[in-house]
Amino acid sequence: MLRVAVVASPPVSMFNLAIPELLFDKVEVGGRPGYEVVICAPDPGPVPTTGSLDLHVPHGLEALRDADTVIVAGTGRPSAPDPRVLDALREVADAGVRIASICTGAFSLAEAGLLKGRKATTYWAHAEELRRRHPDVEVQGDVLYAQDGQFLTSSGYAAGIDLCLHLIRTDYGAAVANEVARLALVAPVRPGGQTQFTQTPLPPERGTACADTRGWAMRNLDKPLTLTDLARHAGVSVRTLTRRFHAESGVSPLQWLLHQRIERAKELLETTTLPMDQVAAACGLGTADSLRAHLVRRTGLTPSAYRAQFSRHPTGPQAVA
């Protein structure tokens, strides 16, 4: 069992602090827990948070000495790190311990001198401040997380989830990390180089007039559907369909259709070993080249790289894109 020590520097972000506990506690290997998570603070006892609650943290910074991984939770803003935290980080860094940060926790790593000449990131809104304070750090302001040697940093809030899943994958493999993601109802492991400004999911639907047509299209994604086909199924003109569709789903019919095709392709890449041309045909994207272009644009990964990273299929050859 590996030990993870999470540093709660006041005023700590409760969301930042909850991420490691939520994810690492779900890891089981051979029926046994994969991690022990210990929360610690410079002053054990009540620790202020960025919200309206205080936390009781029983452990001091001596807990870092027995850790395999240390994670510094953020405070939501670039505050001045506690000198005791900096000393503790330097000590465990010298011992070769893996050290990570979530959100503004990167400022503590930088202030401790651990990121000098290294690649790092933080929440995009504070990236310029990190550059200004620490010009010797190679700040990558538009990635989810960055790793340089034993040091890892993540951008804001939900990117901490991606970072922790990456750590789990590094320790126990992709299958375990993806199972944790499934149990936690979050996205599977995403590559750290993916932009913080990832494309958002479709907005929630706000009506049902086109629901039957959407369902019909979902059952026929392998066919080359056109606006005329969709309008004919709905029994309205193309103009009326477009207006209603946008009012209900927030996007045009063809934008919605492309989104569904790519989601279907991702599902097939994760759960099957179908060749790329068959995946493309099954989701209506036509050719393997078209599949590749759309997936790279959406995720930053080629189909073969996406499959290698997120496959839930235990065996089978990996197709080449």
Side-chain angles (χ1 to χ4, degrees), residues 58-130:
H59 302 285
L61 296 176
E62 66 277 0
L64 272 64
R65 296 172 188 153
D66 299 322
D68 300 286
T69 299
V70 171
I71 299 177
V72 182
T75 61
R77 63 180 186 274
S79 55
D82 190 306
R84 293 170 294 175
V85 171
L86 302 182
D87 288 341
L89 291 176
R90 294 185 188 109
E91 179 183 346
V92 295
D94 288 342
V97 173
R98 182 172 63 184
I99 302 176
S101 66
I102 299 176
C103 195
T104 55
F107 283 81
S108 293
L109 274 63
E111 191 66 29
L114 306 182
L115 300 181
K116 185 175 181 179
R118 297 183 181 274
K119 297 175 182 178
T121 192
T122 188
Y123 180 45
W124 66 268
H126 303 307
E128 279 304 319
E129 179 68 10
L130 185 61

Side-chain angles (χ1 to χ4, degrees), residues 236-255:
V236 296
S237 67
V238 168
R239 182 175 180 179
T240 298
L241 174 80
T242 301
R243 176 174 52 79
R244 289 181 181 175
F245 219 98
H246 198 283
E248 291 184 12
S249 64
V251 294
S252 73
L254 293 183
Q255 287 174 322

Side-chain angles (χ1 to χ4, degrees), residues 152-167:
L152 302 95
T153 52
S154 75
S155 58
Y157 300 105
I161 297 174
D162 298 297
L163 173 67
C164 290
L165 289 174
H166 170 71
L167 294 174

Side-chain angles (χ1 to χ4, degrees), residues 27-234:
V27 175
E28 285 194 4
V29 181
R32 296 186 177 185
Y35 295 95
E36 175 192 11
V37 180
V38 178
I39 310 297
C40 56
D43 295 304
V47 174
T49 72
T50 55
S52 58
L53 300 176
D54 285 351
L55 297 175
H56 181 80
V57 178
H59 302 285
L61 296 176
E62 66 277 0
L64 272 64
R65 296 172 188 153
D66 299 322
D68 300 286
T69 299
V70 171
I71 299 177
V72 182
T75 61
R77 63 180 186 274
S79 55
D82 190 306
R84 293 170 294 175
V85 171
L86 302 182
D87 288 341
L89 291 176
R90 294 185 188 109
E91 179 183 346
V92 295
D94 288 342
V97 173
R98 182 172 63 184
I99 302 176
S101 66
I102 299 176
C103 195
T104 55
F107 283 81
S108 293
L109 274 63
E111 191 66 29
L114 306 182
L115 300 181
K116 185 175 181 179
R118 297 183 181 274
K119 297 175 182 178
T121 192
T122 188
Y123 180 45
W124 66 268
H126 303 307
E128 279 304 319
E129 179 68 10
L130 185 61
R131 287 191 186 96
R132 186 187 67 78
R133 292 192 191 184
H134 302 282
D136 54 355
V137 177
E138 188 179 337
V139 178
Q140 299 181 318
D142 189 23
V143 298
L144 293 176
Y145 57 88
Q147 179 168 6
D148 195 326
Q150 74 196 86
F151 305 107
L152 302 95
T153 52
S154 75
S155 58
Y157 300 105
I161 297 174
D162 298 297
L163 173 67
C164 290
L165 289 174
H166 170 71
L167 294 174
I168 294 169
R169 179 180 180 175
T170 300
D171 293 335
Y172 292 111
V176 172
N178 285 337
E179 176 64 11
V180 170
R182 186 183 68 83
L183 292 173
L185 298 177
V186 297
V189 185
R190 294 189 290 177
Q194 186 168 316
T195 175
Q196 293 182 32
F197 304 100
T198 52
Q199 182 163 342
T200 57
L202 293 178
E205 294 174 356
R206 299 184 291 272
T208 60
C210 297
D212 287 345
T213 298
R214 287 194 294 269
W216 172 79
M218 289 290 292
R219 295 189 296 272
N220 290 275
L221 287 177
D222 59 328
K223 298 180 176 61
L225 302 177
T226 65
L227 267 177
T228 301
D229 295 328
L230 295 172
R232 184 182 298 116
H233 182 275

Side-chain angles (χ1 to χ4, degrees), residues 270-274 307 311-318:
E270 291 175 21
T271 59
T272 76
T273 57
L274 287 172
R307 172 172 274 166
S311 176
R312 301 173 195 168
H313 200 279
T315 59
Q318 298 299 314

